[in-house]
Amino acid sequence: MTWRLVDEREFRARLELTLDDLPTDTIGAVTGPGRSGAVAAVYASHYLRVPFIPYGAKAPHHLGDLLIIDTATQTGKTLRKASAKYDHRCITLAIYNEPPRVYFWYEREHPQTFRHEHREAA
């Protein structure tokens, strides 16, 4: 499996370009599933100047649409599942589409592999 390291500078630039393509005037809060989603959501909340909501916490409706963001996606299943968790109008977004697999500057030296990837390799 081929991996590509994404440094903070590239991630921030790609995030900003991706967010600039959204109708951001309706977004009132940001959240993200898992560790990588939390990182992306905090960056997005600062960039958009809207509150970060911890994943799974109630998002107040009066804030507006909820942006659910993740660093990367393969099938979109995680973001669809996350969107179903909220009774909000949700906008879902992934910064990178895999493959190729990406890992980020804040992760350990060797990227995380998941159980299903171990089974596929065997």
Side-chain angles (χ1 to χ4, degrees), residues 72-90:
T73 187
Q74 287 182 327
T75 64
K77 183 178 176 182
T78 300
L79 287 170
R80 285 191 301 276
K81 197 171 160 184
S83 182
K85 230 178 155 56
Y86 290 92
D87 64 346
H88 245 71
R89 181 172 126 79
C90 297

Side-chain angles (χ1 to χ4, degrees), residues 30 37-47 52 69:
V30 182
V39 170
V42 168
Y43 268 75
S45 74
H46 285 284
Y47 185 75
F52 164 75
I69 190 169

Side-chain angles (χ1 to χ4, degrees), residues 56-99:
K58 186 164 176 53
H61 283 276
H62 73 276
L63 293 176
D65 296 342
L66 179 64
L67 174 62
I68 301 174
I69 190 169
D70 206 348
T71 53
T73 187
Q74 287 182 327
T75 64
K77 183 178 176 182
T78 300
L79 287 170
R80 285 191 301 276
K81 197 171 160 184
S83 182
K85 230 178 155 56
Y86 290 92
D87 64 346
H88 245 71
R89 181 172 126 79
C90 297
I91 299 168
T92 58
L93 177 68
I95 307 304
Y96 291 89
N97 290 308
E98 298 176 321

